[in-house]
Amino acid sequence: MPAEVIPAPATTARSPARWTHEAASEIHDMGFADLMFRAQSVHRAHFDPNRLQLSRLLNIKTGGCPEDCGYCSQSARNAAGLKAGRLMAVEQVVREARKARDGGATRYCMGAAWRGPKDRDMDTLVAMVQAVKALGLETCMTLGMLSDDQADTLAAAGLDYYNHNLDTSERFYPEIVTTRSYADRLDTLARVRAAGIRVCAGGILGLGESAADRIDMIVTLANLPEPPESVPINMLIRMPGTKLADADPVDPFDFVRSIALTRILMPRSHVRLTAGRSMMSDELQALCFLAGANSIFVGDTLLTAANPGEDRDAALLRRLGMTAETAG
């Protein structure tokens, strides 16, 4: 029997046309039990609370990125020592995608460490999208900034989702990235949306930002002309050799509050519990699911960082009585 879907409380039945920081802060700062109840109620109004969407992420081009993102081991500007690699061959991507599908993933995400793709790479990227879609998987790419023509080309190839995170609030953003602006990121999201590709956009917690910065980032996403269909919320993985290698960890309850706020402000979006799960206890992950997270990346690695692995994830889902979404 499917889980009962209960209506959201009256206070969440109608959302404002645009969220304000003040309204979002009031929700974020609710008593924890009240916040969790509200988030779970909103979640049940739109999703089966016992199902998770599983995705797999493949790094199709590693290292050598000219951006200076303070959290990223793939930046050529840091001391992480990660060597730049070539764009992966289509055949290798397809082999890995087939493994992901056979392991239960329904979406396959392909990421390249670029400021943006070169036009000479577009034919290969198109071939990857088409070949992965032929396996019956949803496709997602994260390639940095896109031109209008590049977005249109990927849309014509059938790309389902494009990931481009805001990372943090507009106020705090210059502390983390200086080689591209916040407006650049918003412009890319607008190009992707205009091309007809669904948007995947979220951020990272634990960069040294304040609670107000987290709220502002979530409000910015919720107030886009159309909110992202997929919202990844990452916990910073402190990578050696990066600017943020020694950043203070985010408080687990603060992290859960951000998940809950994301669910309430974007009730129809998949809220993805993304990077940092290898550092989370099963109990913390369960709280995140209760707060409305309903998508995870599976597999042993996430770009260049560790991920819990399929055995641990399968065991956790069994313990929680949760199952994976199926394709279609």
Side-chain angles (χ1 to χ4, degrees):
M1 293 289 291
E4 179 187 7
V5 177
I6 63 174
T11 53
T12 65
R14 298 184 65 184
S15 297
R18 285 183 62 83
W19 287 97
T20 65
H21 178 89
E22 291 73 22
S25 294
E26 185 176 346
I27 295 170
H28 177 274
D29 295 340
M30 293 172 70
F32 192 75
D34 292 334
L35 177 63
M36 295 296 281
F37 176 74
R38 181 164 175 175
Q40 178 63 196
S41 298
V42 171
H43 187 54
R44 284 173 176 264
H46 300 283
F47 294 97
D48 183 334
N50 293 313
R51 284 190 179 273
L52 283 180
Q53 190 272 325
L54 305 185
S55 298
R56 189 72 177 259
L57 177 61
L58 179 69
N59 209 358
I60 60 174
K61 193 276 176 188
T62 303
C65 181
E67 305 283 13
D68 68 350
C69 306
Y71 52 80
C72 186
S73 63
Q74 301 201 72
S75 169
R77 297 168 181 255
N78 65 36
L82 187 67
K83 294 183 179 179
R86 294 178 178 272
L87 182 62
M88 193 175 287
V90 175
E91 294 77 12
Q92 186 176 356
V93 172
V94 172
R95 284 197 301 271
E96 295 300 322
R98 188 175 291 110
K99 294 177 187 176
R101 180 199 61 188
D102 295 346
T106 58
R107 188 180 306 169
Y108 199 65
C109 304
M110 295 161 273
W114 283 326
R115 178 176 173 83
K118 301 287 194 300
D119 287 341
R120 66 173 181 263
D121 299 313
M122 293 306 296
D123 287 346
T124 302
L125 297 172
V126 165
M128 289 179 184
V129 171
Q130 293 173 337
V132 172
K133 282 184 72 70
L135 296 175
L137 290 162
E138 289 183 326
T139 53
C140 179
M141 283 186 159
T142 177
L143 312 169
M145 295 186 291
L146 296 178
S147 68
D148 290 334
D149 287 345
Q150 289 172 337
D152 289 339
T153 297
L154 292 172
L159 184 66
D160 296 299
Y161 289 86
Y162 193 80
N163 168 257
H164 199 63
N165 290 333
L166 295 183
D167 289 347
T168 188
S169 70
E170 186 171 10
R171 183 202 71 83
F172 190 66
Y173 182 83
E175 301 295 321
I176 305 303
V177 185
T178 67
T179 50
R180 77 173 90 169
S181 70
Y182 209 71
D184 288 334
R185 291 185 180 266
L186 292 171
D187 287 346
T188 294
L189 294 181
R191 289 190 180 97
V192 167
R193 181 67 77 190
I197 302 170
R198 283 172 281 185
V199 170
C200 175
I204 307 170
L205 276 58
L207 302 172
E209 77 287 345
S210 66
D213 290 314
R214 295 170 196 152
I215 294 167
D216 277 346
M217 178 194 72
I218 296 167
V219 167
T220 298
L221 291 167
N223 283 342
L224 290 174
E226 187 174 352
E229 286 86 354
S230 181
V231 185
I233 302 295
N234 299 270
M235 179 181 283
L236 176 68
I237 299 175
R238 293 162 297 196
M239 303 298 288
T242 65
K243 176 182 175 181
L244 295 173
D246 298 318
D248 292 332
V250 63
D251 179 84
F253 290 114
D254 289 343
F255 188 85
V256 175
R257 284 185 179 275
S258 294
I259 294 284
L261 183 64
T262 301
R263 169 52 65 215
I264 293 166
L265 268 59
M266 289 173 274
R268 293 175 175 83
S269 302
H270 274 84
V271 177
R272 176 171 292 154
L273 188 59
T274 319
R277 287 200 306 116
S278 60
M279 303 180 295
M280 298 180 192
S281 68
D282 287 352
E283 292 79 7
L284 175 54
Q285 292 187 68
L287 273 179
C288 290
F289 299 147
L290 189 63
N294 62 338
S295 178
I296 60 173
F297 278 114
V298 294
D300 295 327
T301 57
L302 198 62
L303 293 179
T304 61
N307 206 42
E310 294 174 7
D311 291 344
R312 180 183 166 190
D313 286 336
L316 177 59
L317 265 60
R318 283 195 301 270
R319 292 175 66 196
L320 297 177
M322 302 182 76
T323 56
E325 286 184 8
T326 56

